[in-house]
């Protein structure tokens, strides 16, 4: 069993830590927020006084932080890389920009460590159930070292290539999801106005060329998919603010690589409007209500 440092014990990190402890690992944990620390202590972690304390003596350090500047602030500027034992494996499961992920990988290597970017898909439910998908960027050797640990928190652990490719996979995947959720919402709204109900369109399109995850598994109209947030007044799930964050990361990456993403840009604008109207904490599939003209 491994000695693991865990920094960032929020909605995702908290339940991920719980699964590491259930698997028998020793976890030293830190978060800036006292309630998050207390939940980790209750789950069986040892609390550290700060991020450096969580990383000291650990073979593996996992970070699950909000954005790239937090990851930099903790690992590089906060002195965690400097304080960690040489050869520590860092696994950053935050969703952050590709450039920061690559810069952190380089900074880790300069201090004799390895770092993987390993963002996740599956949301808080997947974090609690240990069924996350990890998309991992970094060296093959580091990936092989991390794989058994990540498998205690996820059902799929996929090596996406060198440093930054995990984040590239995450933002490209979520750009597909943002665009398809809006497309499905438009089609369901049009169908309704043509006298075709959501259940019938779902039954047909989920077996036709319109088939996609946003329709089949996460239908934004209530009814066809009982487990979807549309049946619980769009309680998240995955919030519209999180989708907006990921679309902004995709647009930033598109700018940096001279890539035209007109539909990604339109999706980002529509989610900005939806969040700006006060719906950021609702599930991202609630955008159908804006398309229907209800919000
Ligand atoms: P969260 O805000 O619930 O948790 C982040 C935690 O980091 C907070 O508890 C905060 O106190 C802590 N933190 C911030 N700065 C810190 C610092 N300097 N030192 C120690 N702790 C610090 O966010 P979350 O929902 O857990 O998301 C974490 C990451 O996972 C994000 O990058 C997000 O985009 C990604 N993600 C979230 C979901 C989801 O459904 N929530 C799904 C996939 C990916």
């Amino acid at each position: 069993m491994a000695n693991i440092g865990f920094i960032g014990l929020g909605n995702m990190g908290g339940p991920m830590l719980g699964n590491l402890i259930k698997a028998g690992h020793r976890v030293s944990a830190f978060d800036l927020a006292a309630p998050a620390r207390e939940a980790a202590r209750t789950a069986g972690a040892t609390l550290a006084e700060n991020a450096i304390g969580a990383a000291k003596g650990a073979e593996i350090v996992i970070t699950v932080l909000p954005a790239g500047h937090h990851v930099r602030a903790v690992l590089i500027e906060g002195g965690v890389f400097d304080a960690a034992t040489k050869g520590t494996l860092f696994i950053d499961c935050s969703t952050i920009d590709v450039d920061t992920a690559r810069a952190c990988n380089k900074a880790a290597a300069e201090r004799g460590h390895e770092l993987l970017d390993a963002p996740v898909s599956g949301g808080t439910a997947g974090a609690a159930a240990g069924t996350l998908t990890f998309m991992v960027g970094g060296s093959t050797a580091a990936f092989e070292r991390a794989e058994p640990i990540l498998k205690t928190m996820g059902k799929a652990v996929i090596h996406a290539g060198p440093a930054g490719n995990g984040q590239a996979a995450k933002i490209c995947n979520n750009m597909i999801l943002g665009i398809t959720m809006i497309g499905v919402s438009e089609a369901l709204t049009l169908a309704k106005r043509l006298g075709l109900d959501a259940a019938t369109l779902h039954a047909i399109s989920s077996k036709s060329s319109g088939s996609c995850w946003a329709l089949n598994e996460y239908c934004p109209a209530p009814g066809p998919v009982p487990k979807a947030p549309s049946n619980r007044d769009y309680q998240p799930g995955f919030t519209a603010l999180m989708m907006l964050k990921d679309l902004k990361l995709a647009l930033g990456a598109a700018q940096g690589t001279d890539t035209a993403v007109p539909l990604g840009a339109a999706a980002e604008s529509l989610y900005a409007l939806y969040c700006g109207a006060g719906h950021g904490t609702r599930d991202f599939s609630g955008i159908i209500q804006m398309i229907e003209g209800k919000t």
Side-chain angles (χ1 to χ4, degrees), residues 7-14 16 30-33 36 51 64-68 70-71 73-74 93-96 119-125 132 170 174 237-239 242 245-246 249:
I7 304 164
L9 312 166
N11 293 325
M12 296 297 287
M16 289 165 72
F30 178 71
D31 192 292
L32 290 178
V64 192
L65 295 164
H70 300 97
V71 177
V74 169
C93 297
S94 325
T95 301
I96 67 170
V120 301
S121 175
T124 50
L132 293 169
K170 170 76 184 176
N174 279 18
F238 185 62
T239 64
M242 288 275 182
K245 173 195 164 183
D246 292 357
L249 288 173

Side-chain angles (χ1 to χ4, degrees), residues 21-116:
I21 288 174
K22 275 186 213 149
H25 297 294
R26 288 175 294 276
V27 183
S28 175
F30 178 71
D31 192 292
L32 290 178
R37 291 198 298 271
E38 273 321 300
R41 189 209 297 273
T42 305
T46 305
L47 293 187
E49 275 186 13
N50 50 35
I52 288 178
K56 267 205 176 140
E59 300 141 60
I60 293 172
V61 176
I62 298 174
T63 40
V64 192
L65 295 164
H69 65 93
H70 300 97
V71 177
R72 246 182 218 279
V74 169
L75 295 181
I76 302 177
E77 293 136 23
V80 168
F81 279 161
D82 291 328
T85 310
K86 202 170 174 184
T88 300
L89 172 62
F90 287 85
I91 307 174
D92 179 36
C93 297
S94 325
T95 301
I96 67 170
D97 59 285
V98 174
D99 288 347
T100 299
R102 290 185 174 149
C104 288
N105 180 283
K106 190 164 170 278
E110 284 165 2
R111 289 158 179 88
H113 308 308
E114 294 185 289
L115 182 140
L116 295 167

Side-chain angles (χ1 to χ4, degrees), residues 144-155:
E144 284 170 358
R145 218 175 135 193
E147 201 177 10
I149 300 290
L150 297 181
K151 279 192 169 154
T152 64
M153 299 182 283
K155 66 172 180 350

